[in-house]
Amino acid sequence: MEQYIIKGGTQLKGEVSVGGYKNAALGIIAAAIMTDDTVKVENVPDIRDIDILIQVLQDLGAKVERINKHTLKINGAKIETVTADSDNVRKIRGSYYLVGALLGKYKRAQVALPGGCNIGSRPIDRHIKGFEALGSEVKIEHGLICAKADRLIGAPIYFDESSVGATINTMLAACMAEGQTTIENAAKEPHVVDVANFLNSMGANIKGAGTDVIRIKGVTKLHGSEYSIIPDQIEAGTFMFAAAASKGDVLVKNVIPKHLEAFTAKLMEIGVQVEEFDDAVRVRADKRLGSTHVKTLVYPGFLTDMQPQMTTLLSVSNGTSIVTESIFENRFKYVDELTKMGASIKVVESNTAIITGVDRLTGAIVNAPDLRGGAALVMAGLMAEGFTIVENVEYIERGYENFESKMQKLGAIITKVDSNDSKAIKKFKLKVS
Ligand code: EPU
């Protein structure tokens, strides 16, 4: 097991470039097998969840070639099976997009129930509702989602509550169904739009992605394409919040500022200076920040994936703040770890954190409970006095490419070591003391 050691107290300064959006990439890479032609996908993040999905595609018989660190060529002509039932499938959430992709192309799919971060119960009933509306029979058997249809027929689908995953999965299957599908109360998140744009670049006919009504006219065949994935709004947001937390001055490059508006608004409200450029944002903080109230919501509201970073920043801000999680019911596990560092946070009714800003955090040994909670603890380590050890960094590496080296380039004192390598830990501490 690996861990980060961080010596806190350095201001982050300089420039950082954001990579491709993990949550868009998962949908796009799964969708790429829906044609027999070769698809070239650029700006793919080099992270663990993507490596796992690539392995899953290869196990199905797809040819996946990494032509450089961030570019893949995918060919799904020789898919040999529609059954994806390996441990890898169960390790990530995004593997559920194979149901929509295989069902759309082959009218059959058997895919193990997905894994992913333990941040709530994460049912897939809305995905099933989407597939069933298109005429597919769906059963959960032996831990597999088994979907089959003689024909997929376009249909109106209404989601009572918005779901990113169910919207993307339904779009995947519907773009190769007969006739027109309308998804009402569709998720509007940027990655829904990116997957729709990618499918359209392959010859699909999807209109309205980014609004709450998506209209899809089914096509019989998709073709090859070259496509570049949008920047990761969560990676961008994490660096914006880390810059503010360290009282630094960071230019976060290769972003779409529109996707960051909810973060920018909250940062400015508590006293951070944020300047927007065409494809970059500059984040500066030079004083103690103020308090605020935040509720996570679907896009364009404040993203649940930035909730831990927000709470962490507020833990040392002036006054009392309230952060309410409305998307996932179990997304405050990192709070116990922050408390070990001296934060004063009380979680009530399991979805509301009441944060009384303290003057400082102090370094401690903490455990990353999930991807975003882990990134927030690294942020806490940057703010804390002394040394912080963040254990279980594999969670963080699932979604952030070269996290520690990007942080190091901004001046953070952080390194990754094997948890059992006490010599390396001592050496790092001596070197930076
Ligand atoms: N939900 C259901 N039934 C469903 C689907 C969703 O009840 O069939 C519920 C969920 O339990 C949750 C809410 O609806 O309470 C929203 O879930 P959604 O489907 O929108 O999320 P997801 O597809 O499971 C994706 C991202 C998450 C991100 C959310 C919200 C991927 C692989 N995951 O999850 O990303 O938090 O959308 O934007 O795209 C992360 O990157 O760290 C991460 C957790």
Side-chain angles (χ1 to χ4, degrees), residues 21-24 26-27 49 92-97 115-117 119-129 159 161-168 187 189 191 232-234 297-299 303-306 325-329 331 370-373 398-400:
Y21 197 173
K22 166 184 86 90
N23 292 341
L26 290 165
D49 272 19
I92 57 171
R93 195 86 203 142
S95 56
Y96 55 22
Y97 292 134
C117 284
I119 50 180
S121 70
R122 308 191 83 177
I124 54 154
D125 55 309
R126 291 176 213 154
H127 302 239
I128 294 175
K129 180 179 172 177
F159 289 122
E161 283 182 67
S162 152
S163 156
V164 174
T167 301
I168 292 180
E189 272 68 2
H191 36 316
D232 192 324
Q233 60 174 162
I234 315 170
L297 288 169
V298 296
Y299 187 81
L303 191 66
T304 169
D305 298 306
M306 285 297 298
E325 172 59 54
S326 77
I327 310 291
F328 292 108
E329 74 271 14
R331 216 165 190 180
D370 53 55
L371 166 57
R372 309 301 170 190
R398 290 179 55 168
Y400 292 90

Side-chain angles (χ1 to χ4, degrees), residues 180-285:
Q180 172 145 336
T181 299
T182 310
I183 308 177
E184 291 202 52
N185 200 18
K188 299 192 284 267
E189 272 68 2
H191 36 316
V192 175
V193 180
D194 211 32
V195 177
N197 286 342
F198 170 65
L199 288 167
N200 284 342
S201 79
M202 290 166 77
N205 184 342
I206 304 173
K207 295 206 167 88
T211 73
D212 48 20
V213 183
I214 299 181
R215 291 194 170 81
I216 305 160
K217 275 197 188 136
V219 295
T220 48
K221 220 172 163 206
L222 296 173
H223 55 68
S225 153
E226 290 193 9
Y227 193 81
S228 184
I229 294 171
I230 53 166
D232 192 324
Q233 60 174 162
I234 315 170
E235 187 191 5
T238 303
F239 280 109
M240 289 170 79
F241 278 55
S246 73
K247 308 267 182 307
D249 180 354
V250 174
L251 186 71
V252 186
K253 297 194 313 184
N254 186 32
V255 300
I256 299 174
K258 173 101 190 116
H259 294 171
L260 309 175
E261 275 174 351
F263 319 148
T264 300
K266 277 294 158 191
L267 285 174
M268 290 177 77
E269 194 183 313
I270 60 174
V272 180
Q273 296 166 58
V274 184
E275 216 179 324
E276 282 184 8
F277 302 93
D278 286 348
D279 61 357
V281 285
R282 182 178 176 192
V283 178
R284 276 177 292 171

Side-chain angles (χ1 to χ4, degrees), residues 55-69:
Q55 186 58 56
V56 171
L57 293 194
Q58 287 170 333
D59 292 345
L60 291 174
K63 202 169 157 216
V64 186
E65 198 188 335
R66 219 184 244 283
I67 54 179
N68 62 45
K69 213 170 172 216

